[in-house]
Amino acid sequence: MSKENITILAIESSCDETSAAVCVDGTILSNNIATQAMHAAYGGVIPELASRAHLQNIVPVVDTALQKAGIKLAAIDAIAFTQAPGLIGSLLVGGQFAKSLALALDKPLIAVNHMQAHVLANLIPDKKPAFPFLCLTVSGGHTQIVRCNSPAQMQILGETIDDAAGEAFDKSAKLLGLPYPGGPLIDKYAAKGDPNRFQFPEPKIPGYNFSFSGLKTSILYFLMNAGKSLVYKPAFTATEEERKQFIENNLNDICASVQHRIITILLHKLTKAAKDAGIRDICIAGGVSANSGLRQAFTEAGIKNNWNTFIPDFQYCTDNAGMIAITGYYKYLAGDFAALSVQSAARSSL
Ligand code: KG4
Ligand code: ZN
């Protein structure tokens, strides 16, 4: 493809962020994100409310992304959108908007897989990983170790068999009485705590797969027992008041210890996968890659194991259209366009 100034408008609406981005020749000119704050009151994302908020947000969010980039609609070469996976009602809003715009402007449509896009967020900066590279993708719905052979060819080496890493953060936070999404709050309190104060178990799962449900149960009993034990025993069960006091007096250390265990579970598997594959260009991606403890531990693991490490900028970790735009750009170069009849899907593999 010899054309220059390939300009992609991208739309992301898979969960509770309405986002639009513009990218020209692989450089992101704008990445506009509207976060839906109303879900915090319910302790999690309410799909119906998310769809309605996307409907309200989508036009101003796209408009602002174009303005920030200084790009007119007429200059757009293709429209990329998140086709799967995600909340179906949310996906449909972005998908229908993208299709309508593609039809009205008579421009090609590009359907993007959200998990592929999280990985390719690592191709946004000038300093890019070389293929093949490994990526640990850690988000609210997924936890995967992916071998990325090219922008289009990815293979999942391991993934969670129950909860995702983001869920482990959010559910632990909920048990501690913190609002949704709890991941960033655990990160904040952990920074002031002792990661070795409380010992939570590391599960023994074969291969490169992960499990976080046992950790969740340990934390549940640990808090029920006001720190006396990780297992259920009627004699250890504390009163409501004792539990509240225990959390209040130890919040920083509990958050640091929970975060430390989630990070060691993730990095032990990533280190094993990298060693076995003989790959040294290693990335992280997804909402949990915004975690400061993980970013630091990953960088340290890189120094220890002689890896070239790559971490997306914060704005490209949690859900954003910039990652959809960069993926759209590589799909444009490959001539990988979608028909207007393409359907959004709640589930899909890479
Ligand atoms: O990638 P993402 O924005 O959405 C999905 O595709 O799921 O990830 C959201 C997840 C949530 O579970 C949120 O708590 C977590 O990422 N998260 C964090 C941090 N920032 C976001 N977890 C830990 N520390 C953070 N700083
Ligand atoms: Zn995501």
Side-chain angles (χ1 to χ4, degrees):
M1 178 85 48
S2 59
K3 185 184 181 311
E4 280 190 8
N5 295 330
I6 295 167
T7 306
I8 309 284
L9 170 66
I11 293 161
E12 153 66 30
S13 72
S14 67
C15 191
D16 59 342
E17 256 93 24
T18 320
S19 179
V22 175
C23 121
V24 174
D25 290 339
T27 300
I28 308 290
L29 299 190
S30 66
N31 180 41
N32 187 28
I33 305 170
T35 302
Q36 304 175 2
M38 87 286 267
H39 303 290
Y42 303 95
V45 177
I46 307 292
E48 177 64 27
L49 293 182
S51 313
R52 288 171 192 227
H54 283 307
L55 276 173
Q56 285 184 332
N57 291 343
I58 191 107
V59 173
V61 162
V62 170
D63 207 31
T64 306
L66 288 165
Q67 276 179 34
K68 279 189 187 164
I71 293 284
K72 298 249 179 303
L73 267 184
I76 300 292
D77 291 304
I79 295 142
F81 73 103
T82 306
Q83 179 251 333
L87 299 172
I88 192 65
S90 292
L91 288 166
L92 280 168
V93 177
Q96 287 306 117
F97 186 88
K99 286 179 185 182
S100 309
L101 204 55
L103 186 66
L105 299 174
D106 194 21
K107 299 291 179 190
L109 186 67
I110 300 173
V112 171
N113 180 294
H114 183 87
M115 298 315 296
Q116 181 186 4
H118 269 305
V119 175
L120 296 188
N122 283 289
L123 299 187
I124 291 175
D126 289 339
K127 183 180 162 253
K128 301 181 200 322
F131 295 102
F133 62 82
L134 291 192
C135 183
L136 170 71
T137 315
V138 272
S139 73
H142 294 79
T143 299
Q144 301 175 332
I145 296 176
V146 176
R147 181 191 165 109
C148 190
N149 297 320
S150 73
Q153 219 245 321
M154 294 188 188
Q155 181 192 2
I156 299 171
L157 301 183
E159 60 191 329
T160 182
I161 57 168
D162 42 54
D163 289 350
E167 276 178 289
F169 271 104
D170 295 339
K171 288 177 178 175
S172 304
K174 200 169 182 173
L175 292 170
L176 288 165
L178 302 173
Y180 178 87
L185 290 170
I186 294 207
D187 191 353
K188 186 179 123 192
Y189 293 119
K192 293 174 273 178
D194 174 2
N196 296 310
R197 169 93 187 278
F198 302 112
Q199 302 298 321
F200 294 105
E202 179 163 355
K204 296 197 168 33
I205 308 293
Y208 312 123
N209 283 342
F210 303 93
S211 167
F212 290 100
S213 66
L215 176 63
K216 184 180 60 189
T217 311
S218 300
I219 294 166
L220 173 74
Y221 288 136
F222 173 76
L223 295 177
M224 259 176 74
N225 300 332
K228 286 194 274 299
S229 164
L230 294 176
V231 293
Y232 177 72
K233 258 194 200 165
F236 288 147
T237 308
T239 64
E240 200 55 47
E241 192 46 39
E242 285 171 327
R243 279 177 220 160
K244 255 181 73 185
Q245 274 303 318
F246 175 71
I247 293 175
E248 222 175 286
N249 296 340
N250 299 286
L251 185 62
N252 295 342
D253 288 347
I254 301 171
C255 288
S257 303
V258 169
Q259 178 172 298
H260 172 71
R261 178 51 75 216
I262 296 173
I263 292 171
T264 53
I265 292 173
L266 293 170
L267 291 185
H268 285 163
K269 293 294 177 129
L270 182 62
T271 307
K272 179 172 161 55
K275 199 170 163 217
D276 293 351
I279 291 178
R280 292 201 302 114
D281 279 23
I282 316 286
C283 308
I284 55 174
V288 179
S289 67
N291 182 270
S292 46
L294 177 60
R295 292 168 90 93
Q296 192 187 335
F298 173 65
T299 305
E300 284 165 10
I303 294 167
K304 190 170 157 219
N305 294 300
N306 204 16
W307 295 340
N308 304 311
T309 52
F310 303 85
I311 308 177
D313 192 51
F314 281 110
Q315 62 173 318
Y316 304 120
C317 288
T318 45
D319 288 348
N320 69 91
M323 67 186 196
I324 308 302
I326 194 79
T327 309
Y329 171 66
Y330 284 99
K331 289 194 127 187
Y332 187 99
L333 293 180
D336 185 0
F337 300 112
L340 283 173
S341 58
V342 67
Q343 297 205 349
S344 299
R347 287 175 184 278
S348 108
S349 191
L350 276 172

